[in-house]
Amino acid sequence: MKYVIGIDLGTSATKTVLFDETGKITASESYDYPMYQPHNGWAEQNPEDWYNAAITTLNSVVSKSGVNKKDIVSLGISGQMHGLVMLDEGCNVLRPSILWCDQRTAKECEQLTEMLGRDTLIKITANPALTGFTASKILWVKNNEPEIFDKCRHILLPKDYLRFRLTGEFATEVSDASGMQLLDVPNRKWSDVMINTLGIKEEYLAKVYESPEITGYINEDTAEKTGLSTKTTVVGGAGDNAAAAVGMGVVTEGKAFTTIGTSGVVFAHTDNPIIDPEGRVHTFCCAVPNAWHVMGVTQGAGLSLQWFKNNFCYEEKQQAKDENKDVYQITDEKAKNIPIGCDKLIYLPYLMGERTPHLDPDCRGVFFGLSAMHTKSHLIRAVMEGVTYSLYDCLLVLKEMNIAPLSMLLCGGGSKSKLWKSMICNTFAMPVETSKSSEAPALGVAILAAVGAGIYPDVKTACLNMVPSDSNITEPVETDTKLYRSYHKIYASLYASLKENYKALANMQ
């Protein structure tokens, strides 16, 4: 039996999972780390935290699995996308990584658009200039920290920094690189136009691979610290959503999934690079060679519920501790007692600005319709419904592009909630199936690793053998769909009403 490892480098933690060649989990371990927000709208992490988390979890899964290191043949890394890691000539980290959810680069996005034109940006990179993407972060450092920009010799994404530490190789792959706004997405290569516009050299960027390709081998230092073999290959891996798609078998035309993680995503596979001319959704290369995916993103999905729980749910956290439950089980139980529409309370989940469909870094969260009758339970359910409406906005844009899945897979931490699954099912008005794998991103890159190691000939075949099936399907209820859709109409109108106020608030000193 051969074994493969999937490392999922997330925003709140890194999880490492050891799978056998059938996709069965042999061992897993996770390690948390902080996110820093030194200013409103900023988000940073220390890349050394990712490395320490990876080494710790790798050592744990290798040691407790009892698997011979020679049988662990390959490893893949899934990563939070868009983060900027800058290294100097000696490969030292120059500053904390600026993360995907950081919103400081609105002026740089305007600058990029003025320099190139919006249509050119979309034609080359399949997306308009966005605050979350890496290119605007590079420009922000150039504008605001020129001494750091001048010292920079390597520009990496989070997972690719981890790859460098584990292998000594500077490499990336098409799915994650698509989110940098430096890649020619239709042609799957670095864009000379984008590189020259930013004033960097192509040699600063890692070599681009397809996701299942071998990019290097575990180095001696990593082998010594983790118990892995130096013959273990490391494949390209994938951005978190592209990895999750593979982990759920969404690797053919017409398949789609929704993620409720820190951010929320509605993702559809396509064999052609379909681009939204308005730039409301992202078109990226996917982890299947010569294929793409289109996805809408809401910034504050699970983040919204986490924020509410952290700040307002002391009693629920204590109850969960006393009853040995997950605190989100408690919040679910409370929200279930509240009717659809939360007695006319609506939440806008714009805690970190928003991407789809508004592309607005200045918008912020709102409770609309709050009255003296509303309880904490109302607010919990309103948060969950607001996130659902935001995801439905994503689906509506895909439908405009003639991408119309008939059913939906659900994954991410929010998929554990039967209530949230029901909300998605009824608002989307389509059957929703929960991914049986609770580790879809890690499984996805493990599948890519299995292909790279030659266990399977291609990604589709590997998915057929490694992705577990699940018949746990929820069907929509017509009366509930009508109610959710009626509240969504009000939800959808609120952004337009508040847009100018958001901008005015952002400009306040």
Side-chain angles (χ1 to χ4, degrees), residues 184-375:
D184 178 342
V185 170
N187 294 299
R188 306 170 88 90
K189 64 180 183 179
W190 294 126
S191 164
D192 291 338
V193 172
M194 295 304 301
I195 289 169
N196 293 334
T197 299
L198 290 172
I200 59 176
K201 297 179 180 180
E202 186 170 344
E203 65 195 55
Y204 293 179
L205 302 174
K207 182 179 178 181
V208 182
Y209 291 82
E210 288 292 335
S211 302
E213 288 187 292
I214 294 172
T215 62
Y217 295 81
I218 293 296
N219 61 27
E220 290 184 3
D221 180 61
T222 302
E224 184 178 340
K225 291 176 179 177
T226 64
L228 289 170
S229 167
T230 55
K231 293 182 180 180
T232 299
T233 61
V234 178
V235 299
D240 48 9
N241 290 297
V246 175
M248 291 184 290
V250 180
V251 294
T252 55
E253 187 83 36
K255 289 202 170 186
F257 74 83
T258 294
T259 299
I260 305 176
T262 304
S263 62
V265 169
V266 179
F267 175 116
H269 180 100
T270 174
D271 291 335
N272 299 291
I274 303 171
I275 297 172
D276 174 26
E278 295 182 40
R280 295 165 297 173
V281 294
H282 311 315
T283 298
F284 293 152
C285 304
C286 76
V288 180
N290 301 313
W292 289 259
H293 64 257
V294 181
M295 65 179 189
V297 179
T298 179
Q299 297 275 75
L303 176 66
S304 288
L305 193 57
Q306 181 186 52
W307 163 80
F308 191 86
K309 179 260 295 182
N310 288 346
N311 288 282
F312 306 109
C313 292
Y314 173 80
E315 295 86 353
E316 289 75 14
K317 287 188 281 188
Q318 187 60 50
Q319 181 184 349
K321 183 178 179 181
D322 293 343
E323 297 178 6
N324 194 28
K325 290 183 176 180
D326 186 328
V327 65
Y328 292 114
Q329 287 182 261
I330 307 297
T331 56
D332 251 27
E333 289 166 7
K334 295 201 168 185
K336 277 192 291 188
N337 295 323
I338 304 301
I340 294 171
C342 308
D343 291 316
K344 302 180 182 178
L345 178 64
I346 296 173
Y347 170 73
L348 308 185
Y350 308 144
L351 297 184
M352 301 296 292
E354 190 56 294
R355 290 201 207 172
T356 306
H358 306 305
L359 300 175
D360 188 346
D362 294 331
C363 60
R364 291 294 181 265
V366 172
F367 281 104
F368 176 77
L370 193 63
S371 75
M373 72 160 293
H374 289 122
T375 65

Side-chain angles (χ1 to χ4, degrees), residues 425-446:
C425 174
N426 287 300
T427 304
F428 286 22
M430 64 175 63
V432 173
E433 179 181 356
T434 307
S435 171
K436 191 171 182 180
S437 173
S438 59
E439 311 295 350
L443 176 59
V445 289

Side-chain angles (χ1 to χ4, degrees), residues 445-493:
V445 289
I447 287 170
L448 298 174
V451 175
I455 298 173
Y456 298 104
D458 54 54
V459 176
K460 294 177 185 177
T461 303
C463 286
L464 290 173
N465 287 275
M466 296 181 70
V467 176
S469 61
D470 186 12
S471 59
N472 184 18
I473 298 174
T474 300
E475 298 284 348
V477 177
E478 186 177 355
T479 53
D480 290 352
T481 295
K482 288 180 179 179
L483 271 173
Y484 282 118
R485 294 282 181 86
S486 64
Y487 277 100
H488 173 263
K489 286 182 181 178
I490 299 172
Y491 166 92
S493 71

